[in-house]
Amino acid sequence: QVQLAESGGGFVQSGGSLRLSCAATHGSLSSINFMGWYRRAPGQERELVASISNYGRIKYADSVKGRFTISRDNAKNTVYLQMNSLKPEDTGVYYCNTIIFTVENSFLPWGQGTQVTVSS
C-alpha cells in the first residue's frame, strides 16, 4: 500500500513560513482521491487542517484559512502545505493522510509526522 512520509517542519518565529511536504511511496498518490494535512497540538486531538482532491477541491479549517495553502503534484507523488503567518497555536506535529468520510474508508498507517514549532 501507499506509504506517506512528512518533512519540512522546523522551528520558526511568529509570522514566519514553512513548507511541508508529504511524499507518497510504494504506490501512486493519484490513487488517493482526497488527501489531507492533519496536526496534533500538545494536549489536543488530531485535527484536519486542509484537504485537497484529485480534482482540485480544497478545504481549510477556519483556523488556517488565508494563511495555509494546500497543493498536490501527482506526478511527483507529493502533497504540500505552504504555511504563512505562522502563529504559536500552529505548533504541533503535522501529518498527511487520506480523508475519511465513511466506514468504507480507512487511514493509511500514520507516519511519524513533522514537528512544527512556532515561537512568540
Side-chain angles (χ1 to χ4, degrees), residues 6-36:
E6 304 88 352
S7 63
F11 186 92
V12 298
Q13 295 182 346
S14 295
S17 298
L18 286 171
R19 190 191 193 200
L20 308 184
S21 296
C22 170
T25 59
H26 301 281
S28 175
L29 178 62
S30 64
S31 67
I32 307 173
N33 190 14
F34 287 90
M35 282 293 301

Side-chain angles (χ1 to χ4, degrees), residues 4-6 20-22 35-41 46-50 81 92-97 109-115:
L4 304 170
E6 304 88 352
L20 308 184
S21 296
C22 170
M35 282 293 301
W37 280 99
Y38 301 78
R39 71 184 179 191
R40 189 166 194 161
R46 184 157 43 208
E47 65 173 339
L48 177 66
V49 299
L81 185 67
V93 181
Y94 284 69
Y95 305 85
C96 59
N97 215 313
W110 295 96
Q112 293 185 339
T114 185
Q115 176 70 46

Side-chain angles (χ1 to χ4, degrees), residues 24 27-33 35 52-55 71-80:
S28 175
L29 178 62
S30 64
S31 67
I32 307 173
N33 190 14
M35 282 293 301
I52 185 170
S53 76
N54 271 326
Y55 309 100
S71 61
R72 66 190 292 170
D73 188 337
N74 286 345
K76 295 182 178 180
N77 281 334
T78 304
V79 183
Y80 304 96

